[in-house]
Amino acid sequence: MTLDEQEQCDDSRDYRASRKRGGRLSEILNAIATDQTKARVSVSDIFQAMGDRAFGALLLIFALPNVFPTPPGTSAVLGAPLVFLSAQLMLGQAPWLPKIIADRSMTREDFGSIVTRISPWLARGERMLRPRAVFLVYPPMEYLIGFLCLFMAIILALPIPLGNILPALAICLFAFGILERDGFVVVAGFVLVGVSIAVVASVLVALVKGFIFLLTTSMG
């Protein structure tokens, strides 16, 4: 057995043990959404519920809702943690969130509506992915993933028309790759980062040209 095969076997055992201890990520989110003891769900509540799932789970939770229509104010709650978590992943630090972000919250009903939208996609991903090419999800590649996630998170936060979907999807792929130890999904994330940059650059060029055209027309 080669070293890479041994690593994949070890990851598979760790993966199954983690699933046994904490259950699927989709199940954890549904449990939070149906907890009748909470009127609101804070970022801190989600953070604590994830336990040792750390970066992969947290990046996925905060990025995936940006792919779908969400209640007003959701991006303000979920966008800022992406920047902090991506920067920490890039620097090799343990995940943490400042209190001003951790205390942000939304009603349990709004959180439940988000979970309802993303659960089918999340569950499908959990069934399809498995540990493969695991060297792509460990340092130093993990630091590169963090850098690209940070770049995508910044683009996602900018008020660019239709500029949030592809960056959010790219972060989701990286998060799935880290969470499930699937290097093939990480490669797909690299590809989508390139596509995202090309699309966003095209949109920005079109907006600048439109602005220049309106400016020259009004001056004429």
Side-chain angles (χ1 to χ4, degrees), residues 40-210:
R40 300 184 67 83
V41 177
S42 69
V43 173
S44 178
D45 292 331
I46 302 171
F47 192 98
Q48 293 174 8
M50 291 304 102
D52 59 0
R53 293 180 182 266
F55 283 116
L58 293 169
L59 286 171
L60 185 62
I61 288 168
F62 295 127
L64 193 53
N66 290 284
V67 179
F68 306 94
T70 54
T74 300
S75 59
V77 175
L78 302 180
L82 283 174
V83 174
F84 278 87
L85 291 168
S86 299
Q88 290 160 21
L89 180 62
M90 179 183 66
L91 297 173
Q93 299 177 349
W96 67 275
L97 293 172
K99 186 175 177 60
I100 191 172
I101 294 178
D103 288 345
R104 291 185 178 183
S105 66
M106 66 180 70
T107 65
R108 186 173 56 81
E109 290 75 14
D110 285 346
F111 181 78
S113 68
I114 293 173
V115 172
T116 299
R117 288 188 180 94
I118 70 175
S119 285
W121 297 87
L122 183 56
R124 187 176 298 119
E126 289 171 334
R127 290 192 298 268
M128 292 174 58
L129 306 183
R130 63 184 186 277
R132 295 176 292 188
V134 295
F135 68 93
L136 290 172
V137 298
Y138 288 116
M141 292 301 296
E142 189 179 65
Y143 306 146
L144 175 60
I145 292 172
F147 170 75
L148 294 176
C149 284
L150 176 60
F151 188 46
M152 292 292 98
I154 293 172
I155 293 177
L156 190 152
L158 296 176
I160 302 173
L162 302 177
N164 63 324
I165 296 177
L166 289 178
L169 282 174
I171 295 174
C172 287
L173 288 176
F174 287 134
F176 262 128
I178 294 173
L179 186 62
E180 307 294 338
R181 296 292 184 261
D182 196 329
F184 289 2
V185 181
V186 170
V187 172
F190 290 146
V191 173
L192 194 54
V193 165
V195 175
S196 301
I197 293 173
V199 171
V200 171
S202 298
V203 172
L204 289 176
V205 169
L207 289 174
V208 170
K209 287 184 177 179

